[in-house]
Amino acid sequence: MLKKMKVKSIWIIPLLFVFFIPNIIGASSIKSKSPELATGFDTHINNSLAVSPDEQIAIVSDSREQSILVYDLTKGKLRKKIDGFGSPRNIVFIDGGSEFVVSDSTLGTIRFYSLKNFTLKDEVVVGPGAFGTAVSPDGKTLYVNNQAHNSVTVVDLEKRKPIDVITGFAQPRQGIKVSSDGKYIFVTNFQGDKVSIVDATTKKIIREITGFSSIRGISITADGKTLYAANSGRNSISAIDTLDGNIKGEIKVGCEPYGAALSPDDKLLFASNKADHTIDVINVADHRIVKTIGGVQRTKASNRL
């Protein structure tokens, strides 16, 4: 489990997008596409960012690049570039932050890296289309969305191998979360604009929540009562009651929001808006936008807090 961040560190995510992501996008925009990426799976841009539990390291991916970048947050400098990817997607920390995992939709793998020396420790094949990832609260299981196969692969993190595949989805992309008690998995379906709720024990879809518009990133409050979902189709964040599936609030944000990320204390919600290059900071208590951060390029993945 990630430790609670200090209040000032809540701003790490938007600041990283202001200072780091533009540099990555700028570098990639002047490069010609490689043969692998040109024939890779869904090579459209998707950024991901993850901060280590001790808030010392930030790791960033750009799905158009065949590498990920590791930043030292204490010095504000690039520490390492790790090559060898096809289309790197989501990044999550595991094992108390000693390792991080990167999904790759083109290679169809999840790769395990040591945070100590950034070396590759293991690689697990889950099939082309691997996209969003989420770790169970006990740290024993990794759930991997697979857009190509309309499924979620269940990976045993201790044995480092797939142990099950959950089917019945429709283009599950970046949006996947596990409830804080580990009982339920929330999976977005880009096709059909819905969220499927899966029983983590039976691995069966037990309910679906609808009413979204080009759904993207999601977040679940710690008490499991509210789901926030980015609607890139109607420029809003929906607040959903997870018990009855009803929309209990609609927050108007910038143009084409892709991310809906809660701060660790559930007091702030960050909406990353792709089309107008902004991040809206929302007070969860009253759903009021308290700040808008501008000048951010391609703010697609600030939903990974």
Side-chain angles (χ1 to χ4, degrees):
M1 296 291 289
L2 300 182
K3 68 176 185 179
K4 294 291 184 181
M5 293 184 179
K6 298 177 182 178
V7 174
K8 67 177 182 179
S9 65
I10 289 175
W11 299 97
I12 285 179
I13 300 297
L15 286 175
L16 282 168
F17 275 93
V18 171
F19 293 109
F20 293 151
I21 296 296
N23 293 331
I24 299 169
I25 304 305
S28 62
S29 64
I30 61 175
K31 292 176 62 178
S32 60
K33 292 192 174 186
S34 65
E36 286 112 338
L37 283 180
T39 58
F41 178 84
D42 192 1
T43 56
H44 291 76
I45 181 175
N46 178 263
N47 301 326
S48 181
L49 180 149
V51 178
S52 61
D54 62 8
E55 302 172 23
Q56 303 294 304
I57 297 294
I59 303 172
V60 184
S61 71
D62 178 341
S63 60
R64 300 173 303 175
E65 297 295 305
Q66 294 176 296
S67 60
I68 60 173
L69 302 179
V70 180
Y71 284 95
D72 186 325
L73 292 179
T74 61
K75 299 179 180 178
K77 294 182 179 180
L78 177 65
R79 184 165 174 181
K80 188 176 181 63
K81 178 181 178 182
I82 303 175
D83 297 309
F85 293 91
S87 300
R89 297 292 183 176
N90 203 42
I91 304 164
V92 289
F93 282 90
I94 63 170
D95 196 19
S98 65
E99 295 182 336
F100 59 93
V101 184
V102 185
S103 60
D104 192 311
S105 62
T106 292
L107 299 181
T109 64
I110 51 173
R111 290 180 172 179
F112 296 76
Y113 288 87
S114 167
L115 189 63
K116 183 177 181 180
N117 51 22
F118 308 116
T119 56
L120 179 65
K121 297 188 67 175
D122 210 342
E123 185 170 29
V124 176
V125 176
V126 293
F131 215 117
T133 53
V135 183
S136 62
D138 61 10
K140 295 180 179 180
T141 306
L142 179 71
Y143 299 98
V144 186
N145 276 357
N146 192 303
Q147 181 183 346
H149 299 285
N150 297 319
S151 64
V152 172
T153 302
V154 184
V155 178
D156 186 317
L157 288 177
E158 294 179 334
K159 297 179 180 179
R160 299 288 169 90
K161 68 176 185 179
I163 56 174
D164 210 339
V165 175
I166 308 169
T167 59
F169 307 100
Q171 289 190 25
R173 296 185 181 180
Q174 65 263 49
I176 181 169
K177 296 291 181 182
V178 184
S179 61
S180 58
D181 58 10
K183 293 181 178 180
Y184 304 103
I185 310 154
F186 295 81
V187 182
T188 62
N189 299 263
F190 188 72
Q191 183 180 346
D193 272 329
K194 59 187 178 181
V195 174
S196 299
I197 303 177
V198 178
D199 185 306
T201 301
T202 64
K203 307 297 190 299
K204 302 294 185 182
I205 297 174
I206 58 174
R207 192 154 57 90
E208 292 183 334
I209 301 174
T210 59
F212 306 103
S213 178
S214 296
I215 188 171
R216 301 293 182 173
I218 59 173
S219 285
I220 310 291
T221 54
D223 61 13
K225 294 180 179 180
T226 305
L227 178 147
Y228 289 98
N231 297 293
S232 61
R234 62 173 180 251
N235 303 331
S236 69
I237 304 293
S238 292
I240 311 295
D241 188 319
T242 57
L243 295 178
D244 58 23
N246 292 327
I247 296 177
K248 59 182 181 180
E250 192 87 5
I251 309 165
K252 289 298 180 181
V253 294
C255 193
E256 290 188 49
Y258 270 59
L262 283 164
S263 60
D265 59 8
D266 279 356
K267 292 183 178 181
L268 295 176
L269 178 70
F270 297 92
S272 56
N273 309 307
K274 171 195 170 187
D276 57 12
H277 312 297
T278 61
I279 295 176
D280 287 320
V281 184
I282 300 160
N283 182 6
V284 171
D286 58 11
H287 290 174
R288 179 174 53 91
I289 296 177
V290 296
K291 186 177 180 64
T292 296
I293 302 170
V296 187
Q297 296 188 36
R298 292 287 186 176
T299 53
K300 275 196 170 187
S302 58
N303 57 301
R304 298 169 178 62
L305 209 61

